[in-house]
Every structure is written in C-alpha cells, then in structure tokens.
C-alpha cells in the first residue's frame, strides 16, 4: 500500500491532502522511511474513540524518487 501511495503522490500536485485511514498509515510509513516529507497530526481522542485528522504530503525526497525509479507503477 505504501508504494501505491508513493506512486499516486508522484502523479499529484504537492502538497496533497491524505484523508483515508489506510492512506494516512501508508503516508506515516513513507515518512518514517524517509521517502516523503509530511505533516501528520496525532489522532484526537473523541467520546467514541479516536479521530485521525487529515495528513499532508509536502514533498517526495530524493530517496523517494529513487524508489519510484526502482518500483514504477504498473
């Protein structure tokens, strides 16, 4: 899922907003791996559990571009 999101971000104008839970998790992984720079706010506690605010993908790093060359989208 993370590489799919990386390919999706490469085709989109940045900064890009990421809203779905799966994509926010993938963005977090890409950010921790150093493939993208992103702002991901922490989950906020609600009365029924937690709510994850949207994340913002700011840019793809040089390492991220290298990964895109090695694993292009099909």
């Amino acid at each position: 899922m993370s590489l799919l999101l990386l390919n999706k971000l490469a085709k989109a104008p940045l900064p890009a907003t990421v809203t779905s839970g799966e994509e926010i998790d993938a963005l977090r992984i890409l950010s921790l791996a150093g493939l993208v720079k992103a702002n991901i706010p922490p989950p906020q506690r609600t009365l029924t559990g937690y709510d994850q605010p949207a994340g913002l993908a700011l840019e793809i790093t040089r390492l991220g571009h290298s990964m895109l060359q090695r694993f292009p989208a099909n």
Side-chain angles (χ1 to χ4, degrees), residues 8-58:
K8 181 178 173 182
L9 291 173
K11 296 174 186 170
L14 296 177
T17 302
V18 177
T19 56
S20 78
E22 288 181 9
E23 286 189 339
I24 291 173
D25 289 342
L27 183 63
R28 187 173 283 118
I29 290 167
L30 292 172
S31 179
L32 289 171
L35 302 178
V36 298
K37 291 184 180 178
N39 287 338
I40 306 168
Q44 297 178 354
R45 186 161 176 89
T46 64
L47 293 174
T48 58
Y50 288 92
D51 183 36
Q52 176 64 59
L56 188 64
L58 302 172

